[in-house]
């Protein structure tokens, strides 16, 4: 394992459950980020939640004590934008089910966002975690999908985690309703565990997969994505996954640590071993 850790040049960090919980930053996070800088290892924050813009997320990180740049954040919205550019470069007009912040990201990327009207024909439909969803817009999306328009989803999550007494219906459930109504599933579902989330980071930094570590607290998103992309999958036990769940997992994560502090120790030890050798 030390050999694989020595090869790491960049770390992709899941957010909630990995670097913080809710609005509380873990004690180990700031020292860990400083250690990465000291070791010359870059890092990017990843999130599957497209409901907030990059600016919104940077503000949230700043409020809890993390100074990050736009280049250090990668969201499922960005993965979706890259996919559209690569798979359907001819698409210019979109009908989007998403929050105002999410829609602003697509508009900023140069797409024309179509109104809820039978006369405002889009080239494609994008479905996201839309907490402002209305019945009329859901029906209009179904109409365009039924007319054969290509459509993609920003993420596969069926519900969004919350500590409130409610169920936050997420993108995957909205897509399930659209598929039941139209008989069509999305042509692509971006976000974790789709390896496109990691490929975007690798491409941006010019790295091979073996030089990237994906660090997160979920087996079925973070670790599954790392495995599919060929990156090192590091599971932290500070979030959703328990030690018992890890013991039952097959295949197991590449590395399991109690939290970021232990991961930092493992990275430092691997580098020291190189120096001593």
């Amino acid at each position: 394992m030390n050999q694989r850790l020595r090869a790491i040049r960049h770390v992709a960090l899941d957010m909630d459950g990995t670097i913080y919980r809710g609005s509380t930053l873990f004690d180990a996070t700031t020292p860990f980020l400083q250690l990465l800088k000291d070791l010359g290892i870059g890092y990017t924050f990843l999130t599957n939640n497209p409901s907030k813009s990059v600016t919104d997320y940077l503000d949230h990180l700043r409020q809890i004590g993390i100074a990050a740049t736009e280049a250090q954040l990668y969201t499922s919205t960005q993965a979706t934008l890259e996919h559209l550019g690569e798979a359907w470069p001819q698409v210019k007009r979109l009908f989007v089910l998403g929050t105002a912040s999410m829609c602003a990201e697509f508009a900023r990327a140069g797409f024309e966002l179509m109104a809820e009207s039978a006369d405002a024909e889009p080239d494609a439909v994008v479905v996201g975690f839309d907490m402002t969803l209305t019945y009329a817009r859901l029906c209009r999306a179904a109409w365009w999908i039924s007319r054969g328009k290509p459509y993609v989803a920003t993420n596969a999550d069926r519900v969004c985690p919350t500590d409130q007494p409610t169920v936050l219906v997420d993108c995957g459930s909205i897509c399930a309703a659209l598929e039941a109504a139209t008989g069509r599933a999305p042509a692509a579902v971006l976000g974790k565990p789709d390896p496109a989330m990691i490929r975007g980071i690798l491409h941006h930094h010019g790295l091979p997969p073996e030089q990237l570590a994906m660090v997160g607290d979920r087996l079925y998103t973070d670790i599954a994505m790392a495995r599919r992309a060929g990156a090192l999958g590091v599971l932290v036990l500070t979030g959703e996954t328990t030690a018992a769940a890890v013991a039952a997992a097959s295949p197991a994560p590449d590395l399991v640590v109690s939290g970021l502090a232990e991961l930092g120790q493992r990275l430092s030890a691997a580098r020291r071993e190189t120096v001593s050798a």
Side-chain angles (χ1 to χ4, degrees):
M1 179 52 65
N2 275 1
Q3 183 176 354
R4 294 195 69 182
L5 289 172
R6 283 196 299 274
I8 299 303
R9 296 294 178 269
H10 201 89
V11 175
L13 289 162
D14 173 55
M15 296 172 71
D16 203 348
T18 301
I19 65 170
Y20 60 73
R21 180 177 290 115
S23 59
T24 303
L25 194 67
F26 292 135
D27 292 340
T29 299
T30 300
F32 178 75
L33 296 179
Q34 183 58 53
L35 174 66
L36 292 181
K37 293 178 183 178
D38 295 342
L39 294 176
I41 297 174
Y43 56 88
T44 300
F45 301 109
L46 285 185
T47 178
N48 242 19
N49 187 335
S51 66
K52 297 181 178 65
S53 67
V54 169
T55 300
D56 291 337
Y57 275 115
L58 291 177
D59 287 342
H60 175 65
L61 289 171
R62 194 174 300 113
Q63 289 169 9
I64 62 175
I66 297 178
T69 66
E70 187 171 329
Q72 291 176 306
L73 184 70
Y74 196 71
T75 72
S76 59
T77 297
Q78 291 167 287
T80 304
L81 286 168
E82 291 184 5
H83 177 79
L84 289 173
E86 293 171 359
W88 296 315
Q90 73 280 8
V91 167
K92 304 299 180 185
R93 300 185 303 274
L94 296 175
F95 187 80
V96 179
L97 295 184
T99 62
S101 289
M102 176 180 151
C103 289
E105 295 284 275
F106 283 92
R108 188 171 70 161
F111 289 97
E112 181 182 358
L113 304 185
M114 310 308 289
E116 193 282 290
S117 168
D119 297 324
E121 184 174 356
D123 300 321
V125 175
V126 174
V127 182
F129 175 30
D130 189 359
M131 295 183 291
T132 61
L133 183 64
T134 65
Y135 184 70
R137 289 189 64 77
L138 181 66
C139 292
R140 183 58 60 198
W143 166 251
W144 292 126
I145 292 167
S146 72
R147 302 300 292 175
K149 299 296 180 182
Y151 84 106
V152 298
T154 58
N155 57 299
D157 305 63
R158 294 179 181 178
V159 298
C160 181
T162 178
D163 56 2
Q164 300 302 307
T166 187
V167 173
L168 297 179
V169 176
D170 209 326
C171 181
S173 295
I174 296 172
C175 288
L178 290 169
E179 184 174 356
T182 67
R184 293 184 60 207
V189 180
L190 288 305
K192 298 181 285 188
D194 190 287
M197 287 285 280
I198 283 182
R199 291 194 196 112
I201 296 173
L202 295 174
H203 176 74
H204 181 76
H205 295 282
L207 297 171
E210 58 270 17
Q211 291 184 351
L212 180 76
M214 175 65 223
V215 184
D217 67 309
R218 292 183 177 182
L219 290 165
Y220 56 91
T221 55
D222 304 310
I223 303 307
M225 179 175 64
R227 186 177 301 112
R228 292 171 65 183
L232 180 71
V234 181
L235 183 83
V236 292
L237 297 175
T238 50
E240 177 179 307
T241 305
T242 64
V246 173
S250 180
D254 297 314
L255 178 63
V256 180
V257 294
S258 58
L260 293 179
E262 182 181 348
L263 177 58
Q265 293 167 3
R266 296 291 299 268
L267 286 168
S268 295
R271 291 296 179 89
R272 286 196 302 270
E273 187 177 281
T274 302
V275 173
S276 62

